[in-house]
Amino acid sequence: MPKLEELAFARAGSYPGAVESFHVLVHADGRIAYSVTDAAGDTFALEDAAPTEAHIRWAKSWNRRAIRHWEDSCGPKRQECDGDSWTLEFREAGAEARMVDGGHGAYPPAFHSMERWVRVLLDELRAAYPMLDVILDH
């Protein structure tokens, strides 16, 4: 099965202080580097000093995601300006990066499952580093 090496999820049109992008880099030894950028462009980054069991499980769960089967564009047939758009870029081992572009109010199957999956790492980052909430909520 393909191994996830990199993933970036960005969302525009979110409420003030919301996370605008979340970037994850999965190292060959299981360590994870991740960064969060807020709406103002401020970034907080963290890298595992050693592989953690939770992060190894998270990265391995990539193989259960439907993301690799999504179309490159998920835009609606009719353009609506609901203020929410998103992009997801990922790269698997031995492959080129792919970008999935989400339109206003258009989401592929299992989108919310993917969001919850990404949020597992983001919530862990927030729990480990309470100052992140201060950075993101300014």
Side-chain angles (χ1 to χ4, degrees):
M1 293 298 282
K3 181 181 171 204
L4 178 66
E5 289 188 341
E6 191 168 9
L7 180 130
F9 177 59
R11 197 163 200 165
S14 302
Y15 54 90
V19 170
E20 289 297 312
S21 69
F22 188 58
H23 180 257
V24 179
L25 181 64
V26 181
H27 296 284
D29 66 359
R31 290 178 304 117
I32 290 182
Y34 41 159
S35 64
V36 179
T37 303
D38 69 5
D42 294 324
T43 299
F44 180 84
L46 176 69
E47 184 164 349
D48 289 341
T52 69
E53 192 60 39
H55 290 172
I56 291 169
R57 275 194 314 275
W58 182 89
K60 283 183 178 179
S61 70
W62 166 255
N63 293 322
R64 295 191 309 266
R65 306 286 145 207
I67 298 166
R68 74 173 58 82
H69 304 293
W70 289 354
E71 298 291 325
D72 290 343
S73 178
C74 298
K77 305 254 186 283
R78 188 177 88 233
Q79 186 67 23
E80 296 177 25
C81 191
D82 70 354
D84 188 32
S85 62
W86 58 272
T87 59
L88 179 80
E89 186 171 0
F90 64 90
R91 183 173 43 83
E92 295 176 309
E96 291 188 28
R98 269 200 60 216
M99 180 176 284
V100 179
D101 186 23
H104 299 282
Y107 307 98
F111 175 82
H112 298 295
S113 173
M114 178 277 304
E115 260 190 323
R116 285 188 301 273
W117 177 67
V118 168
R119 184 151 301 282
V120 166
L121 282 181
L122 180 57
D123 288 346
E124 182 179 312
L125 184 60
R126 283 180 181 258
Y129 296 90
M131 76 285 248
L132 181 59
D133 284 327
V134 173
I135 293 168
L136 295 177
D137 292 337
H138 65 276

